[in-house]
Amino acid sequence: MAPLGQKPPAGDALETVRVTPAPGEQLAPTVRRFRLTNEGDRSVTEVLTGRCQVGSHAGAELQLTDPTVSRFHCELVVEGQRALAKDLGSTNGTFIDGVRVKEGYLKHGSVLGVGNSRLRFDLDEQVNALPVSERPSFGTLRGQSASMRQAFMLLEKAGRSDATVLLEGETGTGKSRAAQALHAAGTRREGPFLVVDCGALPASLLEAELFGHEKGAFTGAASRRLGVFEEAHGGTVFLDEIGELPLELQPRLLRVLEDRQVRRLGQNQWAPVDVRIVAATHRDLRADVNAGKFRSDLYFRLAVVRVTLPPLRDHADDVPDLARALLKDLGATERTHPSLFSPDFIAQLQAAAWPGNVRELRNHLERCIVLEAPEAPGRGEVLTTPGGGADFTRGPLVDARKRAIERFEREYLTALLARHQGKVSQAAVEAEVDRVSLYRLMRKHGLKPE
């Protein structure tokens, strides 16, 4: 290990120190500490957890008073043997040793430029043990890796409370499953679990879905309707894709979170609600706060407990166990489908990129079960020509046309969503259809967004 104040040799920028465990004891992952020295006022911030958020907002771990620093400017994260600096959509950019970066790795002694401020990054000799769950699962989520067990630890603690939880992660990482498991683990498990996809409806319909309406509140409101917060009394409301919530509705959601009160459209009085709220997003809401697309006060009300589910590529060691578990969940066994449990096929799965994460892995395995053959990852995304097989050339014309259209729609949507990593808004732009229509087609074919 290099002494403080000196750069370590190449490849030794960060180091994970391991202690020999006692018999039967699981080795706890550790993370190297680091510190940031503000070259302006010489103040020093010691970071013990391997993660630090820098910005001008009071909620940042390192708050800077520099007016050129965005509210959430950048984040530093220890990743394995290196430390990554990630810009959070700041106005004036993040620089490493004078080079502007969106993401970049820091070395011992690097200077981080944040607005007009300069922060020296130094590694510490000491390491801290990372708290992880003792169990390799939470609900239907599985994983032996440190990153997954860190998430499980947070989910376990959150499950024992009524705290609002914000689930973050790429599409397909299991945020919906995590929300269901949180509900099942808590004291509200006997109550309803209701889901609202904030990106699936236009603002006017979403407002009625969330908050309800009185009879005659608007054209077509023939009767009174309770919103999801009133319907879920005693249970949990899961707000999926919360980053898509229109700005004009955010103050009303904030009122629900702060005061546990809701007012239906067309009603003058506020009614109390008794719900737990879990939200999920594939976006970095801090960047949306910087861009003025998301309220900072709402972000902090949602992120009382913030849990990030890592992408599958960051815990590829979990793929073999995960693939076997998914195969069994799908009804396959080593007797009925021996080729899908073979070491060569499992190795192929582990080596694949899986941009759609666990959902893509599950869909691929389901396809292999149907075809009764171990297909190489990625082949299922190839679009076949409707009408090119016998299925489309037999029987009545009307039936053949229907089968061809359904097959085309499903394969088109699968390939479209794969290209955009499950981001429905981006997929709708390419398809030149509105988002609601795309969601309707996805539901028709059983394709669910994260």
Side-chain angles (χ1 to χ4, degrees):
M1 184 180 300
L4 290 178
Q6 297 181 18
K7 290 188 178 182
D12 189 36
L14 285 175
E15 180 179 338
T16 299
V17 177
R18 295 184 176 274
V19 180
T20 302
E25 180 185 357
Q26 190 169 24
L27 187 65
T30 57
V31 65
R32 185 107 170 246
R33 299 181 182 185
F34 64 88
R35 66 178 180 272
L36 296 170
T37 304
N38 190 326
E39 294 186 349
D41 59 15
R42 308 308 300 171
S43 61
V44 178
T45 300
E46 298 281 352
V47 181
L48 310 180
T49 61
R51 183 181 294 268
C52 182
Q53 187 175 252
V54 180
S56 60
H57 196 281
E61 284 92 359
L62 174 52
Q63 184 184 12
L64 300 174
T65 57
D66 183 347
T68 64
V69 173
S70 297
R71 285 177 285 186
F72 300 106
H73 200 102
C74 67
E75 185 175 39
L76 278 62
V77 183
V78 172
E79 290 189 342
Q81 304 300 309
R82 296 179 288 183
L84 179 71
K86 177 184 177 183
D87 185 79
L88 299 176
S90 66
T91 301
N92 294 314
T94 298
F95 297 78
I96 297 177
D97 295 327
V99 179
R100 184 165 184 167
V101 297
K102 184 174 182 181
E103 290 187 358
Y105 287 104
L106 294 156
K107 299 178 294 183
H108 183 81
S110 288
V111 175
L112 183 70
V114 182
N116 290 333
S117 298
R118 298 292 178 267
L119 307 172
R120 178 185 166 92
F121 171 83
D122 287 303
L123 294 166
D124 202 321
E125 292 182 333
Q126 293 181 300
V127 296
N128 276 9
L130 294 173
V132 296
S133 172
E134 295 179 355
R135 299 187 299 171
S137 64
F138 183 77
T140 58
L141 299 177
R142 299 181 180 90
Q144 295 276 1
S145 62
S147 58
M148 286 302 291
R149 290 193 295 123
Q150 278 183 273
F152 295 160
M153 181 272 297
L154 292 172
L155 290 168
E156 287 167 1
K157 291 185 175 181
R160 296 192 291 266
S161 75
D162 267 354
T164 303
V165 178
L166 178 63
L167 301 169
E168 299 177 311
E170 295 179 6
T171 183
T173 51
K175 298 187 292 293
S176 298
R177 291 173 179 263
Q180 291 173 326
L182 273 172
H183 174 71
T187 58
R188 296 175 177 267
R189 65 179 69 88
E190 301 301 327
F193 177 79
L194 300 183
V195 181
V196 177
D197 190 327
C198 298
L201 298 171
S204 58
L205 295 180
L206 181 60
E207 185 175 20
E209 180 76 14
L210 291 172
F211 308 109
H213 59 75
E214 293 293 322
K215 180 179 179 180
F218 52 85
T219 303
S223 61
R224 187 181 75 165
R225 178 186 175 182
L226 297 182
V228 68
F229 296 115
E230 290 184 276
E231 283 187 311
H233 179 81
T236 302
V237 172
F238 176 43
L239 301 176
D240 203 3
E241 294 298 349
I242 190 65
E244 305 295 331
L245 185 70
L247 198 58
E248 63 268 25
L249 297 185
Q250 292 179 22
R252 298 196 64 182
L253 177 57
L254 184 62
R255 180 68 178 262
V256 176
L257 288 164
E258 288 184 333
D259 302 328
R260 289 300 191 266
Q261 290 184 331
V262 68
R263 186 176 64 187
R264 301 184 208 112
L265 292 172
Q267 186 183 42
N268 294 324
Q269 298 171 336
W270 292 89
V273 292
D274 175 24
V275 293
R276 182 191 192 165
I277 295 174
V278 178
T281 180
H282 70 274
R283 302 162 62 137
D284 193 327
L285 295 184
R286 296 168 299 180
D288 287 346
V289 169
N290 287 336
K293 298 177 182 178
F294 206 85
R295 293 175 60 115
S296 61
D297 49 3
L298 178 57
Y299 169 75
F300 281 108
R301 281 292 180 181
L302 290 168
V304 175
V305 179
R306 183 172 162 232
V307 182
T308 300
L309 296 176
L312 192 53
R313 63 182 174 275
D314 286 353
H315 58 110
D317 288 347
D318 284 332
V319 170
D321 288 342
L322 186 59
R324 294 186 187 98
L326 289 171
L327 285 168
K328 291 177 182 177
D329 288 346
L330 292 167
T333 67
E334 293 189 55
R335 183 180 61 83
T336 60
H337 296 80
S339 61
L340 301 186
F341 289 85
S342 69
D344 288 345
F345 179 58
I346 296 296
Q348 282 186 340
L349 298 178
Q350 187 172 5
W354 302 117
N357 297 298
V358 179
R359 179 184 294 129
E360 184 185 358
L361 173 62
R362 182 186 177 90
N363 290 344
H364 180 76
L365 292 174
E366 187 174 8
R367 175 183 175 86
C368 291
I369 290 172
V370 172
L371 298 178
E372 298 183 338
E375 284 204 350
R379 287 185 61 188
E381 295 175 10
V382 179
L383 233 152
T384 55
T385 305
D391 284 347
F392 302 100
T393 60
R394 295 183 183 275
L397 174 63
V398 173
D399 292 342
R401 181 188 293 118
K402 181 180 178 181
R403 289 195 300 271
I405 291 173
E406 288 183 350
R407 178 177 172 182
F408 165 75
E409 287 179 347
R410 182 175 180 83
E411 294 189 296
Y412 175 83
L413 289 171
T414 301
L416 177 71
L417 292 168
R419 284 196 297 275
H420 295 281
Q421 298 184 350
K423 297 175 182 176
V424 177
S425 297
Q426 295 179 13
V429 172
E430 180 185 334
E432 297 185 2
V433 299
D434 65 85
R435 199 166 52 199
V436 174
S437 298
L438 190 58
Y439 270 109
R440 189 178 299 116
L441 276 174
M442 290 165 62
R443 284 194 293 269
K444 172 183 174 183
H445 295 285
L447 302 173
K448 297 180 180 180
E450 179 66 27

